[in-house]
Amino acid sequence: MATATVTAIPTDTGIETRNYLNADYGLKSWLLTTDHKRIAWLYLIAITFFFLVGAIAALLIRIDLLVPQGLIVTPETYNKLFTMHGIIMVFLFLIPSIPAVFGNFLIPMMIGARDVAFPKLNLLSWYVFVTGGMFVMYAIAAGGVDTGWTFYTPLSTSYLNTHVMAAAAGVFIAGFSSILTGLNFIVTIHKMRAPGMTWFRMPLFLWSMYATSVMQVLGTPVLAITLFLVAIERMFHVGIFDPALGGDPLLFQHLFWFYSHPAVYIMILPSMGVVSELIAAFSRKRIFGYEFVAFSSVAIAAISFLVWGHHMFVSGESVYAGVVFSALSMAVAIPSAIKVFNWTATLYKGSISFDAPMLYALGFIGLFTMGGLTGIFLATLAVDQYVHDTYFVVAHFHYIMVGGAIMGYMGALHYWWPKMTGRLYPDRWARVAAFIIFIGFNLTFLPQFVLGYLGMPRRYAIYPAQFQSLNVLSTAGASILGVGYVIPLIYFIWSLRYGPVAGPNPFRAKGLEWTTPSPPPPHNFEQTPIVTEEAYAYGSGVPHSV
Amino acid sequence: MLFGLLLGFLPEASTMARPVDYLFWFCIAVLVFFTALIFATIFYFAIRYRRRSEDEIPPQIQGNLPLEIVWTVIPMGIVAVMFVWGTALFIRNARPPADATDVYVTGKQWMWKIQHSNGRREIDALHVPEGVPIKLIMTSEDVIHDFSVPAFRVKKDVLPDHYTSIWFTADRLGKYRFYCDQYCGMGHSQMRGYLYVMTPGAYEAWLHHGVQAQTMAQAGALLYNRMGCSTCHGTGKGPPFAGLYGKTVRLANGSTAAANDAYLRQMILYPGQKIVAGYRDIMPTFKGQLTEEEVLDLIAYIKSLGSKPGNTGE
């Protein structure tokens, strides 16, 4: 979409220095680049495309649910829409979002390196990702798939005649991109830190990226294996999950959630890292309790592998397994709470400004708090037995994934956009959009908590009329939310050509990435920086914007 | 949650609904308290400490260990309360009373087939008496479904090749919805029905209304003869059934098994998996020859031959 636009930044309006955007021209220079900053752009373009496709599916879902019988599509199509929405948003947008775009762009810059450890592998990851994405797009174009993003067996292996194999192959392939990216980041953070960049001087974004990468490397192979087994059962009728063939239907759920619960943290931890950066920069303060925030990321990553059974409290899993998984799931709440309290405490006696990125960060804290606390409802066995698989769950995970992960992503986009492009976006519009998103989001998903409490099951194409008013309210909220996302899309594209020149450090923030020109030169730093202070050393003076 | 107040609450129609609601509202209170606390604190700090000048350098605060301990320990205490409370209720809800009336539920794409012990059958509807504990023994003929009764605050997945169960004691007359809560394919959202809570008298009348079919046990007895079970199980070549249900059975491999519904189903469909001590592995499988409903009839017949009371658990 924006490849041409990006390369077409005119050099006669203020950005004259040689940088990674104008160092080379032409499609080939982008498609064969090994520059982590250009690869970040490749990902940004790809995931923006996938986000739009997933958002169209969401839009159609919300329109359809305006009336109990379904306004525009048949139940069959409705099932394909929510499946597409889930698969695309989870595997092709949220999981790659912050790691692949901002992790790629920022990790080398934040640690004072020229690039990631394996630049060619990094480019390969993008091609693998796009190949996976194409399989999913093919599944949609060929007629769709209606398994739900969860691919539950034996429905997915023995009962559906839609394009399950193409979609599963797409997710399988995209998973390898996630593994390779994680591997690259782990090695980069271990081996390529500039002199003086100790672990406890690192920006907290890097701690969360590190924890995320470990989860990607350890968890994603399990998903790959699981989907492979689905394929074997589907194609060769080997009994693995389908009892009619001699398999066990719950085995699939254990394997699937062993990855897909950590995947939730793969989506949210990078956002938490971003929020730490934003809160520090716009309060001009070191993050309160840095070590606690850093280690809470590691704790979340570690515990996340031990909580998958909370998706299965009512699945027929043993009561005692349920008790253990309930306790472990409660345990994840603690490091999450520690983060929220420390971010809030960072504001105390700060110098707080309300630029657009900060509005997203503050919005994140509020919405993540609600998402996290409603997660504890679902970890509580007796409450889960009531609201499991209802709209309560839908609302809960959208508070985490949209209210949390996407708010963080939008914050990151607004914070580092001037660094990536050298241009500023209109701040007033950005603040307005942030408010619209916050209001639209809550109006969309608060009614869904109530729907769940009233018993409306998720994934219902046709629903009892008593639920209509709340569904209409939710759809109204979604249309506001949609407007909130379109506005940034417009002004970001506008700013590529017409935005005022940003200068190296428009927000006057600390951090190695802000010591370079904007956009940065091809190899980031003129010479390897020597680090003498921690990432948030605002006490030693606030940097100037130029 | 304001909308919930405006719309009126979901009725509490079983004895476990109110205890679950108390816990739910406790969770809501925790949610509202902490959300309000965080929002209010953020608003206060954001306005109180807004940037006054472009070059302002605020005091740098490293952290505070006592505070970290406080906001680690307090949430731990609160989730511990939720955990203990939720677990106690869940375990209670997982243990049906010994005198519960069994009702059999079979899910298939996309309908619910219900069988009562006396042979009365219904589809996408379930009639139960008020004040009597009911245990649903559930299985699926195809994919995974989920039987959910929001007014009773219970649900459980319904699996192929397994029995799962829920139990409840309805305590409010009326008509309530039940749903399939586990996505099961095209007709998922139409896989639902109504649950009718009746007075015991009206329920008895309903149960015996219309043309009286044979009871499940009678149907099972006919199957028992038709499928040739009696050639072994009546002659000593296979284990006898009288008084079997609920007993602990010694197996040939030295272990034991409780003779419950799941065990009997397994023995009918996969007889080679567990051999009763003292018998040979000669029974053929009846998998594919009996529907799930017929298996339930056979189990009901075996139950009717006498059972050890108090051991009807999973």
Side-chain angles (χ1 to χ4, degrees):
Chain A
M1 165 194 78
T3 320
T5 329
V6 174
T7 50
I9 284 181
T11 50
D12 60 350
T13 53
I15 300 173
E16 290 170 18
T17 50
R18 182 168 179 272
N19 62 57
Y20 78 102
L21 292 171
N22 64 15
D24 206 350
Y25 289 100
L27 197 60
K28 202 176 142 194
S29 78
W30 282 90
L31 292 179
L32 295 178
T33 183
T34 54
D35 184 335
H36 65 101
K37 300 182 290 302
R38 285 190 165 208
I39 293 172
W41 274 102
L42 295 178
Y43 273 111
L44 180 61
I45 292 159
I47 68 167
T48 303
F49 170 75
F50 291 132
F51 178 81
L52 292 175
V53 179
I56 288 168
L59 182 75
L60 294 175
I61 289 169
R62 286 303 341 156
I63 292 173
D64 195 55
L65 291 178
L66 276 170
V67 300
Q69 289 301 313
L71 188 62
I72 48 174
V73 295
T74 62
E76 206 176 352
T77 309
Y78 180 86
N79 294 345
K80 290 176 180 173
L81 285 173
F82 74 67
T83 300
M84 272 169 54
H85 173 68
I87 290 177
I88 292 172
M89 288 304 202
V90 170
F91 295 111
L92 301 181
F93 176 71
L94 282 166
I95 286 178
S97 62
I98 293 178
V101 177
F102 297 102
N104 253 318
F105 195 92
L106 293 168
I107 289 175
M109 301 205 63
M110 283 182 165
I111 61 173
R114 286 161 61 102
D115 208 317
V116 293
F118 309 114
K120 287 177 186 165
L121 191 66
N122 202 15
L123 181 64
L124 176 68
S125 304
W126 183 76
Y127 279 100
V128 171
F129 172 69
V130 171
T131 307
M134 287 303 116
F135 271 86
V136 175
M137 292 302 119
Y138 166 78
I140 294 167
V145 57
D146 57 349
T147 54
W149 78 276
T150 45
F151 293 100
Y152 266 25
T153 57
L155 181 68
S156 64
T157 53
S158 300
Y159 288 88
L160 297 177
N161 293 316
T162 50
H163 294 82
V164 181
M165 290 308 306
V171 174
F172 178 86
I173 294 166
F176 285 93
S177 164
S178 190
I179 296 170
L180 296 179
T181 301
L183 189 75
N184 217 336
F185 289 174
I186 291 171
V187 177
T188 306
I189 293 173
H190 266 284
K191 304 303 287 183
M192 302 189 60
R193 283 170 289 131
M197 178 58 87
T198 63
W199 284 87
F200 288 97
R201 280 179 181 166
M202 289 198 315
L204 285 162
F205 178 69
L206 295 183
W207 276 94
S208 72
M209 283 310 309
Y210 185 83
T212 305
S213 300
V214 170
M215 285 192 289
Q216 287 178 325
V217 170
L218 294 180
T220 319
V222 179
L223 176 72
I225 292 163
T226 312
L227 293 173
F228 188 67
L229 293 176
V230 166
I232 289 186
E233 179 164 294
R234 200 176 156 85
M235 290 192 298
F236 305 114
H237 305 289
V238 177
I240 300 162
F241 305 124
D242 183 357
L245 302 171
D248 181 344
L250 286 188
L251 175 63
F252 172 85
Q253 294 177 30
H254 283 290
L255 293 171
F256 180 81
W257 290 116
F258 184 83
Y259 165 78
S260 293
H261 196 79
V264 174
Y265 299 97
I266 292 175
M267 299 179 229
I268 194 72
L269 263 180
S271 264
M272 292 172 158
V274 167
V275 168
S276 295
E277 298 305 306
L278 299 181
I279 296 286
F282 295 98
S283 310
R284 291 190 176 161
K285 273 184 73 190
R286 181 187 202 266
I287 286 286
F288 192 91
Y290 173 103
E291 295 81 3
F292 291 91
V293 178
F295 281 119
S296 62
S297 292
V298 179
I300 287 173
I303 304 170
S304 76
F305 280 103
L306 305 172
V307 300
W308 78 87
H310 69 214
H311 295 269
M312 300 171 63
F313 288 157
V314 300
S315 71
E317 133 188 296
S318 99
V319 172
Y320 302 103
V323 172
V324 174
F325 281 119
S326 170
L328 287 163
S329 305
M330 300 277 186
V332 186
I334 305 304
S336 307
I338 289 171
K339 281 181 187 287
V340 168
F341 289 128
N342 279 295
W343 288 325
T344 308
T346 304
L347 300 174
Y348 176 68
K349 291 194 173 176
S351 168
I352 300 166
S353 70
F354 302 101
D355 302 79
M358 183 62 159
L359 296 183
Y360 283 108
L362 297 178
F364 172 100
I365 299 175
L367 298 180
F368 174 74
T369 300
M370 293 179 70
L373 285 164
T374 50
I376 303 175
F377 284 54
L378 297 167
T380 304
L381 286 163
V383 175
D384 183 71
Q385 192 179 24
Y386 166 26
V387 292
H388 190 88
D389 274 331
T390 67
Y391 264 82
F392 192 92
V393 175
V394 176
H396 155 69
F397 70 69
H398 280 91
Y399 266 79
I400 297 293
M401 293 185 187
V402 184
I406 297 186
M407 290 297 262
Y409 175 77
M410 294 297 285
L413 209 49
H414 285 82
Y415 183 51
W416 285 294
W417 183 263
K419 178 55 62 186
M420 295 174 79
T421 64
R423 305 261 173 191
L424 293 172
Y425 50 83
D427 191 57
R428 181 169 302 196
W429 275 107
R431 291 191 223 188
V432 169
F435 272 109
I436 292 175
I437 288 174
F438 186 83
I439 289 163
F441 172 81
N442 282 299
L443 194 53
T444 309
F445 292 106
L446 265 182
Q448 295 188 7
F449 279 122
V450 186
L451 283 170
Y453 163 79
L454 294 174
M456 178 167 168
R458 63 189 292 201
R459 297 172 166 180
Y460 260 34
I462 293 171
Y463 59 85
Q466 74 205 71
F467 300 131
Q468 188 176 8
S469 52
L470 286 163
N471 271 295
V472 170
L473 205 55
S474 181
T475 301
S479 59
I480 296 172
L481 184 61
V483 170
Y485 285 134
V486 169
I487 296 171
L489 191 68
I490 295 168
Y491 63 67
F492 277 137
I493 292 172
W494 173 89
S495 80
L496 287 173
R497 188 175 282 271
Y498 305 105
V501 173
N505 193 356
F507 301 118
R508 304 185 65 186
K510 284 275 186 177
L512 287 179
E513 78 270 27
W514 297 109
T515 64
T516 68
S518 306
H523 290 297
N524 302 343
F525 301 95
E526 298 291 321
Q527 55 208 32
T528 305
I530 310 287
V531 180
T532 55
E533 55 182 16
E534 61 175 32
Y536 311 116
Y538 285 94
S540 65
V542 177
H544 290 288
S545 56
V546 287
Chain B
M1 296 304 118
L2 184 66
F3 305 117
L5 294 167
L6 292 174
L7 289 175
F9 298 109
L10 185 66
E12 291 167 335
S14 79
T15 52
M16 55 183 68
R18 175 141 316 163
V20 170
D21 273 4
Y22 283 141
L23 175 56
F24 185 84
W25 288 103
F26 173 75
C27 293
I28 291 282
V30 171
L31 168 73
V32 169
F33 174 77
F34 278 99
T35 305
L37 178 75
I38 294 294
F39 271 84
T41 313
I42 287 177
F43 269 110
Y44 175 73
F45 284 170
I47 290 164
R48 172 80 176 73
Y49 302 112
R50 67 187 179 278
R51 190 167 295 168
R52 313 275 173 160
S53 78
E54 271 313 299
D55 294 316
E56 186 176 43
I57 300 178
Q60 298 297 307
I61 303 165
Q62 296 291 305
N64 184 314
L65 187 61
L67 256 183
E68 300 286 349
I69 292 169
V70 165
W71 64 46
T72 304
V73 170
I74 289 177
M76 269 185 190
I78 292 170
V79 296
V81 170
M82 288 173 171
F83 168 73
V84 171
W85 191 345
T87 302
L89 267 181
F90 185 72
I91 289 177
R92 199 190 86 182
N93 290 355
R95 290 193 179 139
D99 60 344
T101 303
D102 290 345
V103 176
Y104 300 88
V105 176
T106 308
K108 68 174 282 191
Q109 287 176 327
W110 291 278
M111 63 197 283
W112 293 106
K113 297 189 285 187
I114 315 276
Q115 289 170 277
H116 297 265
S117 295
N118 82 330
R120 178 99 202 220
R121 288 162 187 252
E122 42 189 338
I123 285 176
D124 291 346
L126 171 57
H127 290 74
V128 297
E130 184 192 19
V132 177
I134 301 288
K135 180 184 173 192
L136 303 183
I137 296 165
M138 310 186 293
T139 189
S140 163
E141 286 184 8
D142 38 51
V143 301
I144 300 175
H145 302 283
D146 181 286
F147 194 86
S148 166
V149 191
F152 291 179
R153 313 293 190 266
V154 290
K155 66 162 58 78
K156 189 73 152 266
D157 280 5
V158 177
L159 305 174
D161 213 38
H162 291 263
Y163 288 141
T164 55
S165 70
I166 52 177
W167 77 276
F168 50 80
T169 304
D171 64 355
R172 191 167 172 274
L173 296 178
K175 177 182 170 187
Y176 308 100
R177 287 182 183 275
F178 62 82
Y179 303 95
C180 177
D181 262 16
Q182 182 64 264
Y183 174 63
C184 56
M186 193 176 74
H188 169 54
S189 59
Q190 284 119 307
M191 192 168 163
R192 49 182 152 115
Y194 285 104
L195 194 152
Y196 301 87
V197 180
M198 314 170 84
T199 61
Y203 174 72
E204 278 307 311
W206 174 85
L207 206 56
H208 297 99
H209 179 74
V211 182
Q212 201 51 94
Q214 54 200 180
T215 65
M216 287 179 70
Q218 286 165 348
L222 287 177
L223 275 170
Y224 175 79
N225 289 317
R226 183 153 59 83
M227 303 307 285
C229 310
S230 52
T231 50
C232 293
H233 291 284
T235 61
K237 274 167 87 179
F241 291 153
L244 169 65
Y245 189 78
K247 268 205 324 205
T248 302
V249 181
R250 227 159 42 77
L251 301 178
N253 64 8
S255 64
T256 58
N260 55 28
D261 299 290
Y263 167 83
L264 294 175
R265 182 182 184 284
Q266 187 187 15
M267 297 304 268
I268 295 167
L269 300 181
Y270 309 99
Q273 287 183 2
K274 285 180 181 154
I275 308 297
V276 178
Y279 295 93
R280 286 184 300 133
D281 180 12
I282 50 171
M283 180 169 159
T285 175
F286 287 85
K287 192 169 162 57
Q289 300 180 48
L290 297 168
T291 66
E292 290 294 346
E293 286 158 299
E294 287 171 333
V295 174
L296 289 170
D297 287 340
L298 276 172
I299 293 172
Y301 170 62
I302 294 169
K303 276 187 200 175
S304 74
L305 297 175
S307 66
K308 186 166 170 257
N311 188 9
T312 55
E314 297 301 279

